[in-house]
Amino acid sequence: MTARRPRSAAPEPASGAAPPDPTRPTRPTRATRPAPAGTGSPPPLAAEDRERLLAGAHHDPHALLGAHPVPGGLLVRALRPFARAVTVVAPGLRAPLHSEGDGLFAGVLPLGEVPAYALLVEYDDTTVTVPDAYRFLPAVGELDLHLFAEGRHEQLWQALGARVMTHQGVSGTRFTVWAPNARGVRVVGNFNHWDGTGTPMRSLGSSGVWELFLPGLGEGELYKFEITRPDGSRTVRADPMARRTECPPATASVVHASHHAWQDADWMARRGARPVHAAPFSVYEVHLASWRPGLTYRQLAAQLPAYVKDLGFTHVEFMPVAEHPFGGSWGYQVTGFYAPTARMGTPDDFKFLVDALHRAGIGVLMDWVPAHFPRDAWALAEFDGRPLYEPGDPARAAHPDWGTLEFDYGRTEVRNFLVANAVYWCEEFHIDGLRVDAVASMLYLDYSREEGDWTPNVHGGRENLDAVAFLQEMNATVYRRCPGVVTIAEESTAWDGVTRATHHVGPGGFGGLGFGLKWNMGWMHDSLGYVEKEPVHRKYHHGEMTFSMVYAYSENYVLPISHDEVVHGKRALVSKMPGDWWQRRATHRAYLGFMWAHPGKQLLFMGQEFAQGAEWAEQHGPDWWLLDPSYEAEPDHRGVRDLVRELNHRYAATPALWERDTDPAGFSWIDGDASEDNVFSFLRHAADGSPLIALSNFSPVVRHAYRLGVPADVPVWREVLNTDDPRFGGGGVTNPDPLKTEPVAWNGRRTSIAVVLPPLATVWLVPA
């Protein structure tokens, strides 16, 4: 049986072509001139070196392979498994090497210096010529290694991983990987039939980084790292820094070079013109793989921007895009932190989608998951045979909720890996914001752990000081490097200072975490709890809708109705509402009207914009058939979507609804205590004082001539939005005529108006 051999790395020249350029991997021709003298007998390898080299456990294969001065000339040694013969070739040189067995070939050339030589390697049925990988100096710089060791390499992806480059005048791919506990590391891939015997990497000292430049290798090649653990066993791992991967369930890394030409310069130049907390910000949350199942990134680019722009959302938020092996995790168990999932295309295809959204005037947020990673044997867990990315204590490393491993935020290189990853998505993919998942699980040592299952910090507290420092560094770095980018925390506790600047120390003694925005999980939980109640019971839960204003200005908030709230038995938003189909839709519309008027930014998960009744499932995505005109109830769903469009467009055009979201002067209750009526009424104010009145009636009855105290300086008000409008599927109880301010004292004000409040509806009024 013929042994497996590597294929030629480049097309062979036609017969009779010129002598080969040793910097290119081509097959030599008969025009190559032989050396004036043959090779001498080489000194044998020391037995220990030979054994370690062949076992993939040598820290410095370049000291044994390649060309080295010796008495009498130049010793050249090559490791080419399955080869019949190896010859050194260069201009004016053709010198066969002696076989030493086990794929080792060596000879002493009568030369005083190392030429730019190549190796002509003969197999049973083919001959290839490639520059010798072991004649090159390290292709990663000392500064890169120094910065990484200090945890300050903010563009780490340029130093680690697989990088197509020209090195010492030769094109190829440089492979680098951090594996400080490894006894040896070899590159394996389709280019060497997944046999790494001939491609061992060298250790670059105390950095823990291993490196090998493979000439002639280009983009598209599959690869992994074969690591010899401290105990001598081996493991084959995907590249933690891979910028492209195979499509799951395949797990190989892919050599990648980007060729996308960005066309979003205008967007990038102006995206930071207004601070995000003082700008319109309404978000459409999307699970890309299921929004339109089966579409690629480029096909999504032809549909998603137009859909989102039509509905008036300012941003989209993608559930995690980084590569993950199990689709059912929705991307929240990441194995390829630097690679967009290959399920929908290449990294350049993903850039094309972001570019298209930007050119449509839509910002792109992305869920980012630095809290944990899965235990897959080909990924990060015990990467080099010992805990590396995770803490050394198994109890500390294990995440109690998800069966995953937490990161070791106290380790300099791990923190660098994550901070650089945040920068990577913003700089390389023009992402406008990172929504950081599961922040609470990072902040607390006792998160989901019982007494005795966790160890206090050095001060005896429950705070994870390393995680706090990591989040502060990540936020500070992203805001410094990437103008206009916002970071958003999914933080479900009352941690003080999530959106406070990192250099501002709070009452707890900690500087702020430095996020731009925080998901308001309390508002989400309380408000959904209220609207799920039957109207007759809502008066007993009135405070659940008003309590958010007690702490509304403690952080910069986003109001999220996310994917988490419409899966796993929680029911879709419209299905949470009590009553018959009309009442559920009406309450759904009223709730959205209340949400868009409430201080804070808005986020709505896909499918909820047209009142999908079924829970979301990643296998099939939103129920688009509900919007098919042939469906009898299609007008009901289209009406809700028309309302969302109206909400977004009114919102964007009304500074009172967003300009002072983080300023208490931007909000005042008209009547926050009308529990018997199930009515909420408040004023929003723009920076110039322009007001908007928001009224929400969560009772199924019409309230005629409902009196409200209003500012005396506005003589006439007009209705600009009514969720009971027939256009939205409502009953048509509206205020078509101007509402004149009357000198009737009410709600502690000298003047008031009398309004018709539709049942289960929200009304917005502005000065006429």
Side-chain angles (χ1 to χ4, degrees):
M1 178 177 177
T2 302
R4 295 181 300 166
R5 296 164 297 278
R7 67 174 187 269
S8 174
E12 298 180 4
S15 177
D21 178 352
T23 65
R24 298 185 60 196
T26 60
R27 183 175 179 175
T29 68
R30 295 181 181 178
T32 302
R33 292 181 296 162
T39 58
S41 297
L45 276 178
E48 181 184 359
D49 282 338
R50 182 186 182 98
E51 180 182 353
R52 290 170 57 203
L53 180 64
L54 295 175
H58 203 289
H59 69 288
D60 191 10
H62 289 68
L64 310 179
L65 304 176
H68 302 277
V70 295
L74 201 66
L75 168 64
V76 178
R77 178 172 278 111
L79 177 55
R80 291 286 164 167
F82 311 115
R84 292 194 314 173
V86 176
T87 302
V88 176
V89 294
L93 175 68
R94 183 184 180 96
L97 300 181
H98 302 282
S99 174
E100 298 183 320
D102 297 318
L104 285 164
F105 297 83
V108 177
L109 282 61
L111 299 173
E113 59 183 31
V114 180
Y117 69 93
L119 298 177
L120 185 155
V121 186
E122 298 179 35
Y123 296 98
D124 287 343
D125 57 2
T126 189
T127 300
V128 297
T129 301
V130 291
D132 185 2
Y134 295 90
R135 72 171 174 84
F136 294 92
L137 296 171
V140 60
E142 290 293 330
L143 180 59
D144 288 318
L145 299 177
H146 173 75
L147 291 174
F148 178 49
E150 290 198 343
R152 297 188 296 111
H153 203 309
E154 295 172 358
Q155 292 183 307
L156 187 61
W157 64 93
Q158 296 186 2
L160 296 184
R163 186 171 184 83
V164 178
M165 62 192 308
T166 298
H167 180 48
Q168 295 178 215
V170 179
S171 61
T173 297
R174 180 203 66 199
F175 295 91
T176 45
V177 63
W178 179 55
N181 298 307
R183 291 176 58 185
V185 182
R186 303 193 285 202
V187 184
V188 297
N190 56 347
F191 48 87
N192 62 9
H193 295 275
W194 301 95
D195 184 336
T197 305
T199 49
M201 305 175 74
R202 64 178 146 204
S203 170
L204 299 179
S206 61
S207 68
V209 173
W210 299 74
E211 181 267 355
L212 179 65
F213 175 75
L214 289 181
L217 212 63
E219 56 187 288
E221 299 282 1
L222 306 182
Y223 72 99
K224 285 186 176 181
F225 296 112
E226 181 188 75
I227 297 172
T228 301
R229 300 182 177 106
D231 65 1
S233 63
R234 295 178 190 164
T235 179
V236 178
R237 300 294 177 124
D239 182 0
M241 301 289 299
R243 290 182 289 155
R244 183 180 171 191
T245 68
E246 280 190 292
C247 186
T251 60
S253 304
V254 182
V255 177
H256 173 69
S258 178
H259 302 285
H260 180 76
W262 288 98
Q263 301 177 49
D264 62 349
D266 289 345
W267 170 270
M268 296 294 285
R270 61 182 170 81
R271 70 178 180 181
R274 185 194 296 269
V276 67
H277 63 273
F281 193 91
S282 61
V283 183
Y284 183 61
E285 188 189 20
V286 176
H287 180 254
L288 278 177
S290 68
W291 185 73
R292 295 279 192 181
L295 296 190
T296 66
Y297 291 127
R298 290 182 180 269
Q299 290 168 335
L300 284 163
Q303 298 187 31
L304 184 61
Y307 184 80
V308 176
K309 187 176 182 65
D310 174 65
L311 288 184
F313 287 98
T314 65
H315 291 73
V316 293
E317 179 179 316
F318 298 151
M319 291 167 67
V321 173
E323 193 59 271
H324 50 283
F326 177 48
S329 76
W330 311 330
Y332 290 99
Q333 295 197 8
V334 179
T335 49
F337 282 81
Y338 283 79
T341 179
R343 291 169 173 84
M344 292 163 283
T346 69
D348 275 4
D349 294 337
F350 179 62
K351 289 181 178 180
F352 185 88
L353 172 59
V354 175
D355 212 343
L357 286 159
H358 282 173
R359 286 184 280 114
I362 299 161
V364 180
L365 313 175
M366 186 188 85
D367 280 12
W368 185 55
V369 192
H372 63 126
F373 58 91
R375 297 173 180 264
D376 298 74
W378 49 269
L380 295 183
E382 293 192 352
F383 181 75
D384 58 3
R386 291 178 181 165
L388 187 64
Y389 289 89
E390 68 270 38
D393 178 359
R396 177 68 192 86
H399 196 293
D401 288 346
W402 304 314
T404 53
L405 295 169
E406 299 184 9
F407 281 101
D408 184 356
Y409 304 108
R411 182 153 191 169
T412 301
E413 297 91 343
V414 174
R415 194 166 63 247
N416 197 160
F417 173 82
L418 292 171
V419 171
N421 187 244
V423 173
Y424 171 76
W425 289 103
C426 298
E427 291 190 352
E428 291 292 313
F429 292 93
H430 292 196
I431 296 297
D432 303 297
L434 299 173
R435 177 266 193 185
V436 182
D437 182 65
V439 170
S441 75
M442 302 166 65
L443 291 174
Y444 298 99
L445 295 168
D446 62 345
Y447 185 86
S448 285
R449 291 178 169 90
E450 300 296 331
E451 190 68 32
D453 291 340
W454 60 280
T455 303
N457 62 34
V458 293
H459 304 297
R462 57 196 285 255
E463 300 86 2
N464 186 336
L465 303 181
D466 291 332
V468 171
F470 156 67
L471 290 170
Q472 291 174 327
E473 180 183 353
M474 181 277 298
N475 280 314
T477 304
V478 167
Y479 277 104
R480 171 170 51 82
R481 292 190 62 101
C482 310
V485 166
V486 61
T487 59
I488 307 166
E490 186 217 9
E491 202 284 308
S492 55
T493 74
W495 183 279
D496 176 60
V498 173
T499 58
R500 190 171 62 233
T502 57
H503 60 284
H504 290 169
V505 177
F510 291 99
L513 295 183
F515 285 94
L517 297 168
K518 172 183 172 176
W519 273 21
N520 194 334
M521 311 294 280
W523 172 88
M524 176 272 298
H525 180 271
D526 291 344
S527 63
L528 289 179
Y530 175 85
V531 294
E532 288 174 353
K533 303 289 191 302
E534 291 285 348
V536 69
H537 299 305
R538 285 175 179 160
K539 64 182 179 180
Y540 304 111
H541 301 272
H542 195 79
E544 294 176 16
M545 288 287 266
T546 60
F547 180 65
S548 58
M549 292 312 303
V550 173
Y551 61 87
Y553 304 103
S554 61
E555 304 280 3
N556 305 332
Y557 283 116
V558 174
L559 311 180
I561 300 299
S562 73
H563 64 277
D564 275 332
E565 304 315 311
V566 296
V567 291
H568 296 331
K570 293 184 180 179
R571 296 171 294 170
L573 184 57
V574 73
S575 298
K576 297 176 189 287
M577 312 304 179
D580 60 22
W581 175 230
W582 191 95
Q583 290 175 317
R584 294 203 303 272
R585 282 186 296 117
T587 309
H588 180 101
R589 296 192 305 267
Y591 181 75
L592 293 178
F594 175 84
M595 173 180 172
W596 254 252
H598 191 286
K601 311 307 180 183
Q602 293 76 36
L603 179 141
L604 191 65
F605 184 60
M606 64 183 194
Q608 312 315 298
E609 77 273 18
F610 57 83
Q612 172 176 315
E615 289 186 331
W616 169 64
E618 79 275 2
Q619 297 91 341
H620 57 73
D623 290 336
W624 295 109
W625 58 270
L626 296 172
L627 297 169
D628 188 328
S630 65
Y631 175 54
E632 183 179 1
E634 180 268 345
D636 297 343
H637 299 277
R638 177 168 39 83
V640 174
R641 190 171 66 171
D642 289 345
L643 169 66
V644 170
R645 181 187 298 108
E646 184 73 10
L647 284 170
N648 275 324
H649 286 289
R650 287 287 177 187
Y651 167 79
T654 309
L657 291 174
W658 43 262
E659 203 168 38
R660 298 168 89 177
D661 267 335
T662 60
D663 182 354
F667 175 92
S668 58
W669 285 110
I670 295 175
D671 190 350
D673 296 320
S675 58
E676 292 293 331
D677 299 332
N678 292 347
V679 170
F680 303 89
S681 54
F682 54 85
L683 281 156
R684 297 294 308 276
H685 303 276
D688 65 1
S690 303
L692 175 141
I693 293 175
L695 308 164
S696 293
N697 176 20
F698 285 100
S699 285
V701 296
V702 180
R703 301 196 181 280
H704 297 281
Y706 194 82
R707 190 159 292 278
L708 298 166
V710 297
D713 59 349
V714 178
V716 182
W717 298 82
R718 64 185 176 91
E719 184 178 274
V720 292
L721 182 131
N722 187 322
T723 64
D724 196 52
D725 192 305
R727 292 182 299 145
F728 311 137
V733 179
T734 63
N735 294 273
D737 300 321
L739 300 165
K740 295 182 179 180
T741 301
E742 304 173 49
V744 178
W746 209 263
N747 299 131
R749 300 178 186 268
R750 293 185 293 108
T751 56
S752 60
I753 57 175
V755 184
V756 175
L757 287 185
L760 301 174
T762 292
V763 174
W764 292 356
L765 308 173
V766 299

